[in-house]
Amino acid sequence: MKFVDGWTRAYAGDGKRNEDWFGWNTDVLAPFEGKVEDVYINPKTNEPGMIDHSRSSSIVFSREDGVKVVYAHVREVGVYIGDAVKAGDVVCRVGNNGYSRHPHIHVGAWRGKEPLQIRFDLRAMGEQLKQLGDEEYLL
């Protein structure tokens, strides 16, 4: 993230192009070792500030213990239903499609009918920051 006038900004310039957004088109990694349960592709890409009232591109992952994770608003999906994935595999890129006003991804998790809280491993994130440095890590 960049700081402008003391505020964190998610984009450079006026943010009117997808390419202005720092997350746009960056790699998205598989959440865990498991299988790809579902893939939906929306071929349309939205322009920032414009919303399309359609379903977003998405991937649903499943783990042996019944945990499922969905990524939505993604692009360049590189996995197919039934594929095995490992945590950290590149599976898609950050997009802007469906009911979305700007580049980002939504992440959801559940087991059965129970929603799950998503927690980030801050220790692992700190190690990545040390390895990559500010410029690469904060894309």
Side-chain angles (χ1 to χ4, degrees), residues 31-76:
F32 47 61
E33 184 173 329
K35 296 262 185 219
V36 175
E37 185 172 297
D38 191 38
V39 173
Y40 178 80
I41 304 295
N42 177 342
K44 184 176 178 189
T45 298
N46 300 345
E47 290 300 318
M50 304 302 288
I51 198 162
D52 185 61
H53 297 275
S54 64
R55 182 177 169 187
S56 66
S57 293
S58 59
I59 307 171
V60 176
F61 303 92
S62 61
R63 210 166 58 182
E64 282 188 17
D65 65 357
V67 169
K68 296 179 191 281
V69 167
V70 63
Y71 292 165
H73 307 294
V74 297
R75 66 189 309 261
E76 295 184 25

Side-chain angles (χ1 to χ4, degrees), residues 103-122:
H104 70 287
I105 63 169
H106 281 172
V107 180
W110 68 96
R111 182 184 294 127
K113 293 183 178 186
E114 177 187 0
L116 300 175
Q117 181 180 17
I118 297 170
R119 294 186 226 160
F120 295 90
D121 184 339
L122 298 178

Side-chain angles (χ1 to χ4, degrees), residues 14-36:
D14 60 15
K16 291 184 179 179
R17 299 175 320 125
N18 284 313
E19 294 80 6
D20 292 343
W21 291 74
F22 300 128
W24 170 254
N25 207 34
T26 57
D27 290 343
V28 179
L29 312 178
F32 47 61
E33 184 173 329
K35 296 262 185 219
V36 175

